[in-house]
Amino acid sequence: MEVPRTTPELVAEPVPRAAPAAAHRPWRPQSSGLRWLMLGPALLVILATVIYPLVTSFITSFRDWRLINSPTPGPYVGVSNYTRAFTDAGFLNSLGVSGLYTLISVTLTLLTGLAIALILAKPTPLNVFARTLLIFPFAVAPILKGYSWRFMLNPEYGVYAKMIGEVFPPLKGYVWLGHEFSALVSIAMSEIWGWAPLFALMFIGALGAIPAETTEAAKMDGATSFQIFRRITLPLLAPVIYIVALLKIISAFKMFDQVAIMTGGGPGDSTQTLYYFVYQVAFRNLDLGYASAVSYLLVAIMAVIATFYVRTLMRGD
Amino acid sequence: MRRPPEPGVVLRRRLAQTGEVIATLAVIFFVAFPLVWMILAAFKNQIDVYSTRLLFTPILSNFRAIFADPILLGSHVWVSALVSFLTVAITIPLAAAASYVLARHRFRGRDTLFLLILITQFVPAVVVAIPFFTLFRTLNLIDTPWALIIVYLSFTLPYAIWMLRGFFDALPVEIEEASFIDGCNELQTLRHVTLPLVMPGLLVAAVFAFISAWNEFFFALILTRSNSLTLPVAIQTISGPRGPMWEQVAAAGMLVMVPILIMSLFIRKYFVEGITVGAVK
């Protein structure tokens, strides 16, 4: 089975290259001068564009710095920016919104991706044609995903809103982006549309690696399709599911673009994701100290998810 | 000799086949319809865009309109192109050199270094955005393409190093060793043997870096005001009193979308793998 290169196993333990079994002459040139000459520029850029801002942000998170009051950083205030977050209704709300959004979008994307993969699993000509379409949605700019769903869900002229209204008359004229829960689901829809086909591509790859004899033997023994799916397909897909779930969870916690395009955080603050909240605090309220602290809380959340995930996966092996 | 199947079996098989075809058509609808609908909207007039009828007379005036109005997209296409091309032009040589060393040389701390480069992919953009925002204010770089290029390197470079290392790893070492035996030094081998062989990888990494710079919205929103808006941010300015002017938004959206869709077709083979390397950003 083809496992993408970012598998957490790789993170935990980089693959040993060039198995020592081969007794041929080893790789010769090992000029360390050339080595650092070639690595240097890239490392400098990473240092300047990732490490520098990370460190600066961390320091800023312990200071009081409202850009409206002063162009230079204010005094150190200890951890008060962090403690402030946990009494701030806005932050707690965005934490909840991001949590709920992650739950909805990850679950639905996985289910949709799995469904698409199972539908397209058989290599009929029509299915093969459909598979070629699967790479498109992900490549579409997130803001366009936002625009197209906002357009199609408009209660007056949106084509999806109208279709839904035809099938479920009670939903005729429903303002999808105007109600708290459905606004969040609508944002999730734009992401499900973007990601589920990609997941399906990965699942199809994994499904292709399941030997046909396995399922045939199970069928001979009288297993139902559901049993085959539950006992054979799903366990074999599990590693891929873990990987894509991790990617999706992380991307869900970074949801920003579609919120900005579709709802602006509303109605009320019901779609104010963590990312959007930090954006508001930093670039609307210009409260940089507090924004840095909240962004570090986001880093902490991601670190926990990633670690937990790697552990789960390694135990599974 | 095979007996012909009973009519009931045939019927059931037919039904199952029909069901499969319908399911596939549903998938095609789900995946393609939003794209098709946006593309159609780009060719509609103001009245047709607010109707859900399928038949309409296609027009091209939306494209004329977005280019004619200077505050709309005319200049922003160039900003987007400049930012994306320069990001790629800086990313690829630096990443190629670094990933070659990480793949072929052995030295203490190599794996740690590589792991650190991977971890940078998990850093949320907001954390990076705040210090750059203040730094660029001090340096007067806000609203210039340079600000965006510098920030975009923070995700294109680690990600390209990741991808390219995979391509270098996939090359058999023996080819390069043969070149050493023929008397080439390491730089000659790199130039005449290794780099040409890894060319598809360079192309794939370049396309991914281009896509991520071209589609980027968050940094562009924060670090630009008016002069150097990129397309994704500039699209927001296409709005009338009743919200976005959909026919023009769709036309501009096509400008953003079509080059990327074409590029993604070219690198289809590597698409999934590439995204799993880069999607965490």
Side-chain angles (χ1 to χ4, degrees):
Chain A
M1 194 191 68
E2 220 181 79
V3 176
R5 277 198 300 276
T6 23
T7 52
E9 298 99 291
L10 269 180
V11 180
E13 191 184 24
V15 180
R17 259 186 347 99
H24 74 80
R25 288 154 50 83
W27 178 261
R28 240 184 359 182
Q30 289 283 308
S31 150
S32 69
L34 182 68
R35 174 187 310 156
W36 294 109
L37 204 66
M38 291 180 75
L39 263 179
L43 293 183
L44 278 179
V45 172
I46 291 176
L47 210 65
T49 61
V50 186
I51 310 300
Y52 157 78
L54 265 182
V55 173
T56 317
S57 227
F58 190 65
I59 296 169
T60 308
S61 75
F62 297 103
R63 308 183 82 142
D64 180 30
W65 187 6
R66 290 159 217 246
L67 213 51
I68 296 175
N69 301 339
S70 142
T72 50
Y76 284 95
V77 291
V79 294
S80 74
N81 283 326
Y82 289 91
T83 49
R84 177 179 159 195
F86 289 98
T87 52
D88 178 356
F91 170 74
L92 295 175
N93 169 67
S94 69
L95 197 63
V97 169
S98 269
L100 181 62
Y101 172 76
T102 304
L103 190 72
I104 296 172
S105 70
V106 173
T107 317
L108 291 183
T109 309
L110 279 173
L111 290 177
T112 314
L114 202 55
I116 295 176
L118 291 173
I119 289 170
L120 302 184
K122 236 191 246 174
T124 65
L126 186 65
N127 284 351
V128 171
F129 166 73
R131 284 182 199 175
T132 59
L133 296 176
L134 294 181
I135 65 162
F136 287 133
F138 192 86
V140 171
I143 61 132
L144 293 181
K145 291 174 196 165
Y147 269 125
S148 59
W149 284 85
R150 182 174 156 193
F151 180 44
M152 296 190 307
L153 288 174
N154 185 289
E156 287 168 51
Y157 48 79
V159 63
Y160 275 177
K162 280 194 178 161
M163 284 182 200
I164 297 168
E166 292 300 320
V167 183
F168 304 104
L171 285 175
K172 218 169 235 171
Y174 185 75
V175 188
W176 288 94
L177 295 174
H179 297 84
E180 297 196 345
F181 186 67
S182 66
L184 199 63
V185 173
S186 303
I187 291 172
M189 272 314 299
S190 73
E191 274 291 90
I192 294 163
W193 175 69
W195 283 73
L198 178 79
F199 282 15
L201 269 180
M202 299 179 68
F203 291 150
I204 290 169
L207 284 175
I210 299 175
E213 300 88 63
T214 320
T215 46
E216 266 158 34
K219 231 177 250 170
M220 296 286 242
D221 292 343
T224 64
S225 316
F226 180 74
Q227 281 170 329
I228 292 176
F229 175 75
R230 174 79 185 73
R231 302 274 168 205
I232 299 171
T233 315
L234 213 50
L236 282 163
L237 281 181
V240 190
I241 292 177
Y242 279 129
I243 291 156
V244 295
L246 172 67
L247 292 177
K248 190 71 193 77
I249 289 170
I250 289 168
S251 99
F253 267 100
K254 292 180 173 181
M255 169 46 71
F256 175 82
D257 295 11
Q258 283 101 315
V259 176
I261 296 298
M262 292 171 78
T263 66
D269 54 7
S270 61
T271 56
Q272 184 138 313
T273 55
L274 272 174
Y275 231 70
Y276 201 77
F277 178 74
V278 181
Y279 164 77
Q280 293 277 0
V281 174
F283 302 105
R284 289 290 163 86
N285 308 346
L286 298 175
D287 191 346
L288 299 182
Y290 183 46
S292 299
V294 176
S295 72
Y296 257 90
L297 291 175
L298 188 60
V299 173
I301 291 172
M302 303 247 264
V304 169
I305 295 168
T307 314
F308 173 77
Y309 187 85
V310 171
R311 290 246 176 92
T312 316
L313 197 79
M314 282 168 65
R315 212 176 32 221
D317 281 343
Chain B
M1 207 184 88
R2 279 177 77 165
R3 273 188 307 154
E6 283 169 42
V9 177
V10 174
L11 184 68
R12 227 174 340 166
R13 205 177 292 158
R14 284 260 167 81
L15 276 177
Q17 276 168 356
T18 317
E20 280 168 16
V21 168
I22 289 171
T24 302
L25 291 178
V27 168
I28 292 174
F29 179 82
F30 173 73
V31 173
F33 188 77
L35 284 177
V36 173
W37 198 248
M38 264 322 236
I39 290 170
L40 288 181
F43 296 99
K44 289 178 176 177
N45 64 32
Q46 271 184 333
I47 294 159
D48 286 330
V49 86
Y50 292 111
S51 118
T52 44
R53 281 181 306 128
L54 275 173
L55 286 179
F56 65 96
T57 320
I59 51 161
L60 286 174
S61 60
N62 295 323
F63 293 93
R64 261 200 299 276
I66 57 173
F67 277 107
D69 190 337
I71 64 158
L72 291 185
L73 293 180
S75 61
H76 305 304
V77 177
W78 291 110
V79 178
S80 263
L82 178 77
V83 168
S84 308
F85 276 113
L86 283 181
T87 303
V88 173
I90 300 170
T91 300
I92 297 303
L94 296 188
S99 54
Y100 166 78
V101 173
L102 287 170
R104 288 300 193 235
H105 282 230
R106 302 204 188 152
F107 53 96
R108 270 173 61 107
R110 180 186 71 163
D111 293 336
T112 319
L113 200 61
F114 194 54
L115 183 65
L116 283 176
I117 291 172
L118 167 73
I119 287 172
T120 63
Q121 302 253 316
F122 288 79
V123 175
V126 271
V127 188
V128 175
I130 296 168
F132 271 122
F133 177 67
T134 55
L135 180 71
F136 289 152
R137 263 169 67 103
T138 334
L139 298 176
N140 267 329
L141 281 176
I142 297 272
D143 208 15
T144 65
W146 308 113
L148 293 179
I149 293 166
I150 292 168
V151 173
Y152 289 175
L153 288 175
S154 75
F155 53 86
T156 57
L157 186 62
Y159 155 54
I161 292 175
W162 246 90
M163 260 183 105
L164 284 175
R165 193 203 159 160
F167 279 95
F168 280 115
D169 274 342
L171 282 188
V173 185
E174 288 79 4
I175 303 175
E176 286 152 284
E177 284 172 348
S179 164
F180 297 142
I181 293 167
D182 290 345
C184 287
N185 65 30
E186 189 171 9
L187 271 184
Q188 288 168 328
T189 305
L190 183 61
R191 192 171 144 221
H192 297 293
V193 180
T194 320
L195 279 183
L197 283 172
V198 88
M199 203 45 97
L202 295 177
L203 196 71
V204 172
V207 168
F208 272 102
F210 189 92
I211 292 179
S212 54
W214 180 265
N215 284 351
E216 207 283 331
F217 175 70
F218 179 70
F219 285 121
L221 181 69
I222 292 162
L223 299 175
T224 60
R225 293 284 173 273
S226 54
N227 295 325
S228 59
L229 300 183
T230 57
L231 284 176
V233 183
I235 284 185
Q236 286 185 300
T237 61
I238 310 178
S239 67
R242 292 185 62 222
M245 292 158 73
W246 287 110
E247 66 286 358
Q248 290 184 14
V249 168
M254 265 189 77
L255 286 185
V256 179
M257 193 161 74
V258 169
I260 300 303
L261 294 187
I262 293 171
M263 284 183 195
S264 62
L265 265 185
F266 274 110
I267 54 158
R268 201 163 73 195
K269 214 176 115 192
Y270 303 100
F271 199 81
V272 171
E273 221 182 337
I275 277 164
T276 50
V277 174
V280 288
K281 191 75 207 182

